[in-house]
Amino acid sequence: MNTQQKDLSYFRLRLQELLYASFPEKAYDNNFIEQRSSWTANAYEGAFRSGNPIDQCDEISNYILFEGLRFSKFDAIFQVVCNEFDTIMADEELRPFALKMLPVCEPVFSSYELNDDFANGPEFDLLYTEITGTIAIWIEENGLQ
């Protein structure tokens, strides 16, 4: 296996790990995964060949690999489910329930300008409250199923 393939495989695995954990809606988007991994491997190789230190090559590659993937709608929903609804369901039901709530909560997100730093901004608390309300109403109308 040449260095390029090895780097590409490494970046693909790192990206897939993040997508499975925090962006389940993108976890099986093979075109996205292949393209982003390829761009990252090329950027890393270019930075390395240009004489940059390894830590700077890593910084460049991480920026490209994870661009636009710092704020996760799923993570926000999962946080709400774990914090606000954990007493009404078993621990092993939390993630599957949060996955079920992703499309239910999608309209809530459309009211916000989401970016990589959104979770650290002042509007996150309002979003959190709206997600909590949306899920509570859904549970009231549908039960936990």
Side-chain angles (χ1 to χ4, degrees):
M1 179 184 303
N2 69 33
T3 305
Q4 176 69 17
Q5 287 175 323
K6 190 175 182 180
D7 290 344
L8 185 60
S9 178
Y10 169 76
F11 293 124
R12 182 183 305 116
L13 290 172
R14 287 189 63 213
L15 181 58
Q16 285 175 323
E17 180 181 16
L18 174 69
L19 295 179
Y20 291 137
S22 298
F23 296 89
E25 69 278 11
K26 293 182 187 225
Y28 300 99
D29 185 345
N30 290 324
N31 289 334
F32 174 78
I33 293 167
E34 291 302 316
Q35 185 177 49
R36 185 65 68 95
S37 301
S38 179
W39 289 347
T40 303
N42 289 334
Y44 184 92
E45 184 176 351
F48 183 77
R49 288 182 188 265
S50 296
N52 291 293
I54 297 297
D55 60 335
Q56 190 169 8
C57 296
D58 288 338
E59 188 176 318
I60 292 166
S61 65
N62 284 338
Y63 178 82
I64 293 169
L65 190 62
F66 302 124
E67 183 180 10
L69 298 173
R70 303 243 192 296
F71 177 77
S72 163
K73 294 176 183 179
F74 175 75
D75 285 349
I77 293 168
F78 188 56
Q79 180 181 357
V80 168
V81 169
C82 289
N83 292 342
E84 308 299 332
F85 301 99
D86 64 324
T87 59
I88 61 171
M89 62 186 86
D91 287 350
E92 63 272 6
E93 296 172 330
L94 296 172
R95 182 174 170 82
F97 184 76
L99 285 167
K100 184 189 291 188
M101 291 297 101
L102 191 57
V104 171
C105 294
E106 189 63 40
V108 174
F109 291 104
S110 65
S111 303
Y112 296 89
E113 194 168 319
L114 304 175
N115 59 45
D116 282 349
D117 297 322
F118 185 81
N120 300 321
E123 287 191 305
F124 181 77
D125 290 340
L126 182 57
L127 173 68
Y128 184 99
T129 301
E130 287 189 54
I131 292 170
T132 303
T134 299
I135 293 173
I137 291 168
W138 190 91
I139 290 172
E140 188 176 300
E141 292 175 353
N142 300 286
L144 288 176
Q145 300 180 11

